[in-house]
């Protein structure tokens, strides 16, 4: 999500059926924007649950710009180097299904 956000292509993250409905674009962007705010590296930069609800209900119009989350991973199909580390120097584990 972060990579698509900085590339200004965040709608690529949403289901194509939702994206095809022009009426939903602003709602999709708002939900993703709020989601990115919720995963900020520092807890004091993350909104409280009551703030999240207000943001999703459009009671709070001007949302802060998110910064890069503490943990980012490769997009599906991309491989991570063996010793990949996050911003705060914690290793990232690739999860593979059975």
């Amino acid at each position: 999500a972060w990579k698509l956000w900085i590339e200004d292509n965040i709608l690529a993250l949403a289901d194509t059926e939702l994206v095809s409905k022009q009426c939903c674009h602003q709602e999709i962007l708002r939900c993703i924007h709020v989601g990115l705010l919720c995963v900020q590296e520092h807890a004091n930069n993350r909104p409280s649950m009551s703030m999240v609800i207000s943001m999703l209900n459009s009671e709070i119009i001007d949302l802060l710009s998110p910064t890069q989350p503490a943990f980012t991973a490769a997009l599906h199909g991309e491989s991570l180097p063996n010793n990949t580390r996050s911003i705060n120097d914690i290793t990232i584990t690739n999860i593979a299904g059975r």
Side-chain angles (χ1 to χ4, degrees):
W2 177 251
K3 183 175 179 179
L4 292 172
W5 178 268
I6 60 174
E7 292 173 353
D8 200 27
N9 188 23
I10 200 64
L11 286 176
L13 188 63
D15 187 293
T16 54
E17 286 213 24
L18 288 175
V19 174
S20 68
K21 299 176 183 177
Q22 290 287 355
C23 65
C24 300
H25 285 191
Q26 291 304 317
E27 292 172 2
I28 293 168
L29 292 173
R30 179 170 281 277
C31 288
I32 295 170
H33 191 151
V34 171
L36 286 170
L37 290 173
C38 290
V39 295
Q40 298 298 286
E41 182 168 11
H42 300 288
N44 59 345
N45 293 338
R46 297 179 209 139
S48 66
M49 285 309 298
S50 60
M51 292 274 298
V52 168
I53 292 168
S54 293
M55 286 184 231
L56 292 176
N57 286 330
S58 298
E59 295 167 2
I60 298 175
I61 306 288
D62 298 324
L63 301 179
L64 298 173
S65 294
T67 57
Q68 184 171 357
F71 298 97
T72 57
L75 294 175
H76 182 71
E78 291 182 10
S79 59
L80 292 169
N82 286 341
N83 293 325
T84 300
R85 295 189 176 274
S86 69
I87 293 170
N88 58 0
D89 208 29
I90 297 174
T91 59
I92 298 172
T93 303
N94 287 332
I95 300 172
R98 295 184 206 180

